[in-house]
Amino acid sequence: TLIAVWAPWRRPGLFHAPDPSVVPRGAGDLARQLRFPAARLGIDEDELLSALEHASRPAQAVALIQKLGYVGSERALPLLDKLARDHREYVAAAAVHAMAQIGGEEATARLLDLLPSLRVRRDAVAALGLIATPRALEQLVKLAHESRSPLRQEAILALGQSGHEEVLGVFQDLIATGDDAVIQSVASALGNFNGAAADVLLRELVARENANISTAAIYALSDPADPETTAQLMAILAAGDSRRAEAAAYVLGRGGNPMALSLLGQMAREGGAQTRRACIDALGRAGGDKARGLLTELLQSGRGELAHEAARALVNLGDDAAIALVMKAVRDDQGMNGE
């Protein structure tokens, strides 16, 4: 039963209110730090609420709702709650998100009341991750452990958005269930964490045989420059499995390790079509002299599709030296063809 599953997590202090002096831990903390009270901006909140209540066009209502998300107070919550039940889904979704931005216990209670609503329950679950109050997080953990919940995946992703380190323990228990779909959701959710503890979990998931889990974990890695991560991803890229290799190439391009860049250049020539494109794109994102040199070699290789992709990557680098290389290659090609 739900109670049996949830019981291990009903212990005091698992989730605690965040210290406002601490650096934002998740998307919700950051969103609230970007908020400014209406009075400080010279905005009359009553006028804003009145304008929203009488808004006749959906686009106007959404714009006012978004504004309230940044400047509104708890006084706006009753009207936002009403609009969260609006038949227009984009209006309702905007209202749910604004309630999460305003935050607090009242907003949490109102969002919990929205969970039975088929129209906005997925938005409400995501909002609970943004609001990240202890009560919100406890509800998300319940949903994440409920195997029959239609909101299980959304709850796991919402826990990731919270940025709370305590969530890592919840994720370890979810991984232990052995449910591949759940583990894949956990891998994606771990991408919201920066730190060694999360990356240790992710490296374990990268090594899984299940391609969906492994690929999700690769994309979620937070420190592509970590030597252990780099070695693991280079082995995956060299193995050539297209889905994993594409993800590994993407992350290695962000890390900028010289040996990894050399491997990207090698696999751009020797890998399958999908792997070649991924490696060239990664070199284009990496930038720098090493990546530019490897792309230049590919450009001058004489292999049509390879040269074309390399030219595109060099142009995307956006610097004069890269563009000059492409222009020279075009002129040389025209000269050889007598054009």
Side-chain angles (χ1 to χ4, degrees):
T1 66
L2 181 61
I3 297 299
V5 172
W6 168 236
W9 298 103
R10 291 190 68 97
R11 62 177 186 267
L14 175 62
F15 295 117
H16 51 80
D19 179 347
S21 66
V22 174
V23 173
R25 291 186 291 184
D29 285 352
L30 179 59
R32 282 184 287 281
Q33 286 203 7
L34 295 174
R35 281 174 34 80
F36 293 93
R40 285 179 54 189
L41 298 176
I43 297 172
D44 188 323
E45 188 173 1
D46 288 329
E47 289 185 5
L48 192 57
L49 290 170
S50 177
L52 176 56
E53 198 162 12
H54 294 93
S56 58
R57 292 173 297 158
Q60 181 187 16
V62 169
L64 291 167
I65 288 169
Q66 291 172 340
K67 191 171 185 179
L68 274 173
Y70 285 102
V71 305
S73 68
E74 289 190 346
R75 293 171 51 221
L77 291 174
L79 179 55
L80 291 173
D81 192 340
K82 176 183 174 183
L83 291 169
R85 304 166 197 275
D86 194 277
H87 68 279
R88 298 162 296 185
E89 290 188 16
Y90 47 95
V91 172
V96 169
H97 186 75
M99 290 166 69
Q101 285 181 278
I102 291 172
E105 292 302 327
E106 183 183 346
T108 299
R110 291 178 181 277
L111 288 170
L112 291 173
D113 287 343
L114 288 169
L115 289 179
S117 168
L118 291 176
R119 181 174 288 117
V120 295
R121 63 183 182 179
R122 296 185 188 281
D123 295 302
V125 168
L128 288 171
L130 291 173
I131 210 165
T133 59
R135 188 180 175 192
L137 294 173
E138 287 175 0
Q139 179 62 44
L140 290 174
V141 173
K142 275 202 236 181
L143 291 171
H145 277 90
E146 176 51 66
S147 61
R148 295 183 180 180
S149 171
L151 300 173
R152 191 177 196 184
Q153 180 181 10
E154 286 80 1
I156 293 170
L157 296 175
L159 282 168
Q161 280 195 310
S162 74
H164 279 243
E165 292 298 318
E166 297 95 330
V167 168
L168 294 178
V170 179
F171 285 167
Q172 286 177 317
D173 282 354
L174 290 171
I175 290 170
T177 65
D179 185 314
D180 285 348
V182 168
I183 297 171
Q184 183 181 345
S185 296
V186 169
S188 297
L190 282 167
N192 290 290
F193 291 84
N194 293 315
D199 274 357
V200 167
L201 284 177
L202 283 169
R203 282 195 293 269
E204 292 175 3
L205 297 180
V206 166
R208 294 283 180 113
E209 290 185 7
N210 183 294
N212 291 331
I213 293 173
S214 179
T215 302
I218 292 169
Y219 280 120
L221 287 163
S222 67
D223 185 9
D226 174 78
E228 193 172 345
T229 298
T230 298
Q232 186 179 27
L233 294 181
M234 286 178 65
I236 290 171
L237 179 58
D241 175 82
S242 58
R243 285 192 62 197
R244 291 183 175 93
E246 183 178 2
Y250 176 85
V251 178
L252 287 170
R254 289 166 44 210
N257 179 286
M259 291 180 62
L261 294 178
S262 295
L263 180 60
L264 286 169
Q266 177 186 337
M267 295 304 292
R269 293 188 298 271
E270 301 174 3
Q274 189 174 337
T275 299
R276 290 200 303 271
R277 284 193 295 272
C279 289
I280 292 172
D281 286 344
L283 288 169
R285 285 190 301 271
D289 292 339
K290 173 81 172 177
R292 186 186 298 110
L294 290 166
L295 288 170
T296 302
E297 291 176 13
L298 295 170
L299 178 67
Q300 297 170 344
S301 67
R303 295 170 60 181
E305 183 182 353
L306 201 62
H308 175 79
E309 293 291 333
R312 180 177 56 79
L314 282 164
V315 170
N316 288 339
L317 284 175
D319 60 67
D320 293 339
I323 294 173
L325 286 169
V326 175
M327 295 303 296
K328 180 178 183 302
V330 171
R331 288 194 297 270
D332 290 347
D333 184 62
Q334 288 176 338
M336 285 187 292
N337 288 295
E339 297 178 5

